[in-house]
Amino acid sequence: MQKTLLGTTLWYVGTVLFYAFLLAPLAILIAVSFNPTAMVFPPQGFTLKWYATILEKPDFLHAAWASTLLGIMTAAISTGFGVLAAIGWQRYSGLLKAPISSLLMSPLFIPAVIVALALFQILFMLGIVNNIWTLVAAHVVVTIPYPIRNVMAQMEGFDVRLEEAALSVGATPRQALWRVTLPLLKASIIPSLIITFVLSWNNYTVSVFLANKDWTTLPLQLRAYLQYEYEPFVAAMSTILIVASVILLVVVDRTVGLGGVKKNN
Amino acid sequence: MHHIGVRNIIKNWGAFSALKDVNLDVREGEFLSILGPSGCGKSTLLRIIAGLEEPSGGEIFIAGQNVTLDPVWKRKIGFVFQNFALWPHLTVFRNVSMGLELRKTEKAELYNRVMEALRMVQLEALADRLPAQLSGGQQQRVALARAIVLKPAVLLLDEPLSALDKNLRQDMQVELKALQQTLGLTTIFVTHDQEEALSLSDRVVVMNKGVIEQLGTPDAIYNQPVSEYVAGFVGEACFFEGRIEGNGQAKTLRLSDGTAVPIRGNGIQVGQSAVAFVRPEWIDLNKLDISLSPGSPQGTIERLMFFGQSSDYLVRLGDRQLRVKYKSDGPRLAPGDTVALCCVARVLPGNGAAS
Ligand SMILES: Nc1ncnc2c1ncn2[C@@H]1O[C@H](COP(=O)(O)OP(=O)(O)OP(=O)(O)O)[C@@H](O)[C@H]1O
Ligand SMILES: [Mg+2]
């Protein structure tokens, strides 16, 4: 009894410390964003002026727009390919089944900076100038393992007879895919879209090599700005990002469930 | 006039041949069962007829058309899967209406036809449920409604009742048969349950290791099997091996232990060696006066097995055990009683060797 009580107490203390350590900097950042005096803690009052100054910085608005667009394209393409790869992989039963799976997962194990450098090198050698498509391609490469893994996990329990049943009532294979397979894979497709979007939105390592002036993403813009000065408006910007991420996660959790992100079904 | 024609169908999985030159004609409106043990190729044959599997050789005809190269969705078939394969994300109504939606059926007609199909399987009240909210029997009915709503030329069923418990299975057998007769559907029904095959079918195909052993009416399959394999698979059978003796009408099979069993059958020739079999209900047990049946095989009662509506005696006969149906007008026997077996065994053609 004594022992369990002690154990429980330690468990709670540990958990609280752990989260405090993780979340305290974020809390301070958020607090700072409402602070009228620059960069002091605890805050000296309350203001929204830093949020207003964001609107006066067109660079940041443009970067936010670029990141959003890039995130949407990355999510769509990466998840699209991921779904196709997972479906194809499940149906294929040759000798290369295991190697192909490892190959598809490899971006997970190679540091993103190396992937980015390699892509940069190739594009440079081919004489291709950085543009939105090189950036999208790079983001797809580093994010694709996530949708593949999610969809594969769900495909594992997928009964091909559900598709055969569709064929038996007159569906072509394409109709069977759209009406039966994809709706059933929704529980892994939607989380995949969100994850790939968030990964792309937050990515710095790959973008730093492959973005150009027109497609400076938000993380790049923040970093560039911080090199020269620090103003609480950066905290305001970050707060917006944090809140946006939380909202996104809550929406996913309420609609398809966050369980889908990890194990599906 | 045949409605489904299977011609020289071969199917190989790598070096393993699952179907070896299968030929079969199914008549229009006929209920035909394919019966055989696990792994004999029943599903493979049915899936080839449906177009879900490609044959390695041979041709399939449906209603006079060669459909061998047609994909599933172009053959006018209804297919019912063993685990029902209902689409879990769609309601009962949408499960049934999918085929009509794909054919761009007009709204009012679609509604009427779906509801009519659901009425036939007594499910109109559950049209808005999801499959997960249905019992096994109800799911099975949805699968049936989904297959018949398109008015297919043929209905193919792969062990559709094997997931149901015994009582429900018997109810569904009756319903299925009634539905099939009402609609006059040419039906192929795969099962490994011999009673189911015998009771439902116009004709039964017995398969073994990728070949058709026998095709015939349930009566012919049960009473005049062509091989030891068929005789043993479609019912309880006890086999006797010996040499045919006799004069005039009465022929007997002389067994190696010196006893003799009366036999019947086609093309019996004295002097030949042969295999004959008896069914449990063909045998009378005779205790009081063994001398009435001189030379008959004799056995010992081991026990009585009670099944409710009927009972079987287990009788030891040398080194084997056989079942004999208990008859209320026969003698009451107790374990340990010695009995004579009075029966007429049926001789299997061609020495009864499995082909
Ligand atoms: N996709 C496949 N690849 C390799 N072998 C297969 C495949 N499908 C079936 N087989 C083999 O073909 C044979 C016939 O299979 P089939 O499914 O037709 O048997 P069945 O008579 O329906 O048996 P059951 O009563 O168990 O359903 C089996 O030996 C099986 O192992
Ligand atoms: Mg089978």
Side-chain angles (χ1 to χ4, degrees):
Chain A
M1 193 64 200
Q2 197 82 29
K3 208 173 163 190
T4 29
L5 193 66
L6 183 69
T8 320
T9 314
L10 277 179
W11 166 250
Y12 277 116
V13 171
T15 310
V16 169
L17 283 177
F18 179 74
Y19 279 107
F21 185 71
L22 270 185
L23 298 179
L26 294 184
I28 291 172
L29 195 67
I30 293 171
V32 164
S33 76
F34 296 110
N35 188 359
T37 328
M39 306 317 276
V40 253
F41 192 82
Q44 318 275 300
F46 182 84
T47 178
L48 289 175
K49 70 175 176 188
W50 305 119
Y51 287 87
T53 55
I54 294 175
L55 297 175
E56 290 153 18
K57 312 234 180 233
D59 282 359
F60 273 86
L61 292 178
H62 184 263
W65 170 240
S67 276
T68 308
L69 211 58
L70 178 64
I72 290 173
M73 285 197 281
T74 303
I77 296 173
S78 183
T79 305
F81 276 129
V83 169
L84 295 181
I87 292 177
W89 187 81
Q90 193 234 11
R91 283 170 204 197
Y92 174 73
S93 61
L95 277 177
L96 293 175
K97 189 154 177 142
I100 286 176
S101 152
S102 311
L103 188 71
L104 291 171
M105 290 301 153
S106 59
L108 276 184
F109 310 113
I110 300 170
V113 64
I114 293 179
V115 174
L117 191 59
L119 278 168
F120 179 69
Q121 180 111 38
I122 290 171
L123 292 172
F124 184 78
M125 277 157 48
L126 292 174
I128 297 172
V129 185
N130 283 353
N131 59 45
I132 178 69
W133 297 113
T134 57
L135 193 55
V136 169
H139 277 217
V140 166
V141 169
V142 293
T143 55
I144 204 167
Y146 296 90
I148 290 181
R149 205 177 43 170
N150 276 341
V151 180
M152 258 185 196
Q154 210 197 348
M155 282 303 281
E156 209 135 284
F158 188 81
D159 184 356
V160 290
R161 276 176 290 196
L162 293 175
E163 275 178 5
E164 293 181 343
L167 302 180
S168 81
V169 299
T172 62
R174 186 181 305 183
Q175 287 170 324
L177 183 72
W178 281 104
R179 284 168 179 259
V180 173
T181 316
L182 291 181
L184 287 174
L185 291 179
K186 209 167 60 184
S188 55
I189 291 176
I190 292 177
S192 298
L193 284 170
I194 306 277
I195 284 193
T196 45
F197 178 83
V198 171
L199 285 174
S200 162
W201 174 275
N202 290 337
N203 184 285
Y204 177 80
T205 345
V206 171
S207 305
V208 79
F209 282 95
L210 294 159
N212 62 9
K213 203 157 59 27
D214 295 336
W215 289 96
T216 306
T217 63
L218 207 47
L220 294 182
Q221 187 67 43
L222 273 175
R223 175 76 185 86
Y225 190 80
L226 283 174
Q227 242 164 352
Y228 304 108
E229 49 198 310
Y230 189 90
E231 268 183 61
F233 107 86
V234 174
M237 192 79 222
S238 309
T239 303
I240 293 177
L241 295 188
I242 293 167
V243 171
S245 295
V246 169
I247 289 175
L248 210 54
L249 287 182
V250 170
V251 167
V252 180
D253 196 32
R254 285 288 144 81
T255 50
V256 287
L258 270 181
V261 173
K262 301 188 299 283
K263 67 178 197 5
N264 304 309
N265 277 326
Chain B
M1 167 61 193
H2 76 258
H3 199 214
I4 302 174
V6 175
R7 301 273 176 275
N8 309 104
I9 287 291
I10 295 170
K11 179 70 189 180
N12 301 318
W13 302 108
F16 174 76
S17 83
L19 295 174
K20 303 159 189 157
D21 194 21
V22 173
N23 285 282
L24 179 65
D25 277 341
V26 188
R27 299 168 189 150
E28 184 144 18
E30 178 174 41
F31 194 116
L32 181 117
S33 290
I34 301 180
L35 178 64
S38 193
C40 72
K42 307 180 295 288
S43 296
T44 306
L45 178 57
L46 196 73
R47 290 168 57 83
I48 286 175
I49 294 171
L52 290 167
E53 213 81 70
E54 245 177 73
S56 310
E59 292 178 322
I60 299 291
F61 292 83
I62 295 178
Q65 303 276 323
N66 186 339
V67 297
T68 317
L69 299 177
D70 288 354
V72 201
W73 59 94
K74 289 197 179 142
R75 303 186 186 187
K76 294 191 165 44
I77 53 127
F79 202 101
V80 178
F81 295 81
Q82 177 168 1
N83 65 348
F84 316 138
L86 299 179
W87 301 302
H89 60 302
L90 300 176
T91 60
V92 167
F93 187 95
R94 293 279 326 274
N95 262 277
V96 178
S97 71
M98 172 85 81
L100 295 168
E101 287 170 33
L102 291 165
R103 282 166 181 69
K104 309 238 182 310
T105 310
E106 186 251 327
K107 246 198 178 116
E109 192 199 339
L110 178 139
Y111 180 83
N112 289 337
R113 281 177 65 181
V114 172
M115 289 319 272
E116 187 195 338
L118 287 177
R119 201 168 307 124
M120 279 187 198
V121 295
Q122 300 152 38
L123 279 184
E124 323 91 290
L126 305 182
D128 296 326
R129 294 246 189 119
L130 287 172
Q133 301 164 325
L134 300 178
S135 72
Q138 290 165 341
Q139 291 184 25
Q140 153 57 239
R141 290 190 173 95
V142 178
L144 208 53
R146 179 174 70 182
I148 61 174
V149 75
L150 298 170
K151 309 202 165 99
V154 298
L155 183 60
L156 307 173
L157 307 111
D158 192 357
E159 307 205 25
L161 307 180
S162 63
L164 308 178
D165 66 42
K166 193 168 178 197
N167 285 332
L168 191 55
R169 194 160 71 220
Q170 287 174 340
D171 292 346
M172 284 304 298
Q173 285 171 2
V174 174
E175 279 181 39
L176 176 64
K177 179 75 185 178
L179 196 64
Q180 183 263 341
Q181 282 181 322
T182 317
L183 299 174
L185 276 172
T186 306
T187 300
I188 304 183
F189 181 90
V190 164
T191 177
H192 58 241
D193 180 332
Q194 45 275 19
E195 267 182 41
E196 195 166 273
L198 295 176
S199 63
L200 291 176
S201 317
D202 298 313
R203 288 190 302 163
V204 177
V205 170
V206 181
M207 283 186 67
N208 182 25
K209 294 184 186 146
V211 299
I212 292 184
E213 284 264 335
Q214 188 170 0
L215 166 61
T217 62
D219 180 68
I221 295 279
Y222 187 78
N223 290 312
Q224 298 166 46
V226 296
S227 65
E228 203 170 323
Y229 174 82
V230 175
F233 192 78
V234 299
E236 196 74 37
C238 177
F239 297 95
F240 298 105
E241 231 179 301
R243 191 165 293 279
I244 298 173
E245 289 181 353
N247 39 22
Q249 291 294 350
K251 302 238 180 5
T252 57
L253 195 65
R254 177 70 59 189
L255 311 184
S256 54
D257 64 0
T259 59
V261 183
I263 51 171
R264 66 196 159 110
N266 307 322
I268 300 175
Q269 297 208 348
V270 173
Q272 270 188 341
S273 57
V275 175
F277 76 100
V278 289
R279 300 258 181 233
E281 68 278 11
W282 297 356
I283 305 173
D284 282 324
L285 295 176
N286 203 335
K287 173 191 170 193
L288 296 177
D289 198 354
I290 288 176
S291 61
L292 271 183
S293 37
S296 312
Q298 289 179 14
T300 318
I301 301 288
E302 285 201 322
R303 63 195 198 91
L304 182 68
M305 293 180 59
F306 179 67
F307 301 117
Q309 54 177 316
S310 70
S311 308
D312 282 358
Y313 285 116
L314 285 186
V315 181
R316 175 139 308 269
L317 192 73
D319 57 356
R320 56 193 173 149
Q321 205 176 39
L322 69 134
R323 279 170 185 265
V324 178
K325 267 266 151 319
Y326 165 81
K327 292 175 176 136
S328 54
D329 56 351
R332 278 208 77 85
L333 300 164
D337 287 354
T338 303
V339 289
L341 269 58
C342 302
C343 57
V344 180
R346 181 156 197 112
V347 174
L348 291 165
N351 290 349
S355 55

